[in-house]
Amino acid sequence: MPEIRFQIELPDGSQETCYSPSLVVKEYFAPGNEYALTDFIERSRTALNIASDRVQAKYGSPCGLALGQLAQIEAMAGKYNHVAEPKVRLLKFIE
């Protein structure tokens, strides 16, 4: 299963590298695009759950790394509750 990483820029300008065990994230994000934080979380949730489901279908158990990445993204979002209209930019995919 081809895995991929994607680099994002958070509302405070810091950058993070995220992981997906599947290229499905390319269907939900495009390099250079900016997403409202809530939209970014929803897209991440959908893509990473699909990725985890694909791992489960192939190997018999969900992908802990994908689910862990989703948990990190959701936890990160809480740090920006005070920011008006927080945005996340997808900088690039790392294959």
Side-chain angles (χ1 to χ4, degrees):
M1 196 164 250
E3 62 184 21
I4 192 167
R5 286 172 176 70
F6 50 106
Q7 189 173 12
I8 60 172
E9 182 178 270
L10 299 168
D12 63 4
S14 64
Q15 296 180 5
E16 295 275 337
T17 300
C18 302
Y19 170 82
S20 172
S22 167
L23 301 179
V24 71
V25 294
K26 287 185 159 189
E27 296 174 22
Y28 292 88
F29 299 109
N33 281 7
E34 192 172 72
Y35 304 91
L37 181 59
T38 54
D39 184 37
F40 178 79
I41 293 166
E42 285 303 316
R43 288 169 181 261
S44 296
R45 187 174 291 132
T46 300
L48 290 170
N49 278 317
I50 290 170
S52 179
D53 290 348
R54 288 180 179 180
V55 170
Q56 184 168 9
K58 187 168 184 173
Y59 299 106
S61 62
C63 181
L65 291 174
L67 298 176
Q69 181 64 73
L70 177 56
Q72 287 178 341
I73 289 170
E74 292 172 336
M76 168 273 302
K79 296 190 314 190
Y80 301 103
N81 287 337
H82 66 284
V83 177
E85 299 182 34
K87 306 270 188 203
V88 176
R89 180 182 305 276
L90 186 97
L91 298 173
K92 64 182 177 179
F93 290 112
I94 305 166
E95 296 186 60

